[in-house]
Amino acid sequence: MKIRHVRAIAVFGIAVVALTGARGSHGGSCGGSSSSSGGSNHSDNDGTSGSSSGGSVPGGSSSANKAERDVTINECTYDSATKNLVARVTVNNDGVLDYDYSITMKFTGGTATPASATKTGIAVAAGATEKAELTTPYTGSGDGSEYTKCEVSRASRS
C-alpha cells in the first residue's frame, strides 16, 4: 500500500512540473510577447536646444502596439514664441490599408508636472509617411527646461 501512495505522489508531481514548466516558454515579456521593433519610445531634450534624438516605439502584435511602432519621435522641444511644449513626429504606415492615427505624447522631467498632448485624425495612406506636430500649453514659469523627456503614451489607428 505504501508503494501505491508513493507512485501516485510521484505521478502527480511529474504532471505538475510538466504543466507549469511549459507555461513560461514565451520569453521574459510581461505582455506575453517577446518581440519588439527596437529603438526607444522617448526622446531626451534639455528644453533649450530645440532638438532631440528620436526613436520608434517597441510593441507586440496588437493593432494599438502596431500603431505605436509606426510613430517616430523627431523632436521634443519648448517653443518660447508660442509658450508650448512641442513634439514633432513621423507616422509611417507600411501597411496595405489607409489609416487615421491618434497619438498622445507625454512630456516629463525631474520635477516637472507631467503634461500631455493629443492629436487625432492624422490621415496616412497605405505605404506613406506623414509628419505631425503635437502641442500642449506650457504651464510653468521658466523656460521649459524642466521637461527633459517625451514619449508616446498612446497611439491607435482606425
Side-chain angles (χ1 to χ4, degrees):
M1 201 143 147
K2 278 187 173 183
I3 294 175
R4 281 189 186 164
H5 185 68
V6 171
R7 271 192 228 160
I9 290 174
V11 170
F12 178 76
I14 291 170
V16 169
V17 170
L19 291 174
T20 59
R23 192 174 10 161
S25 63
H26 292 286
S29 173
C30 293
S33 173
S34 59
S35 65
S36 73
S37 64
S40 67
N41 65 345
H42 70 278
S43 293
D44 291 329
N45 181 21
D46 67 1
T48 58
S49 68
S51 67
S52 61
S53 60
S56 297
V57 180
S61 61
S62 76
S63 180
N65 286 339
K66 176 61 177 143
E68 289 178 5
R69 287 183 287 157
D70 290 351
V71 178
T72 302
I73 299 168
N74 301 320
E75 178 180 38
C76 290
T77 189
Y78 168 71
D79 184 343
S80 59
T82 62
K83 303 225 184 298
N84 284 328
L85 297 171
V86 180
R88 291 180 182 89
V89 300
T90 301
V91 183
N92 180 32
N93 178 5
D94 60 0
V96 295
L97 299 173
D98 297 347
Y99 288 108
D100 287 334
Y101 287 80
S102 296
I103 303 169
T104 300
M105 296 293 294
K106 184 176 178 182
F107 298 86
T108 58
T111 60
T113 301
S116 65
T118 300
K119 183 157 186 132
T120 60
I122 305 167
V124 186
T129 300
E130 292 293 329
K131 294 189 180 293
E133 187 173 280
L134 291 82
T135 62
T136 189
Y138 172 66
T139 58
S141 59
D143 62 359
S145 63
E146 67 271 27
Y147 290 94
T148 58
K149 183 170 75 168
C150 73
E151 62 188 358
V152 175
S153 61
R154 243 176 43 205
S156 63
R157 65 184 191 182
S158 56

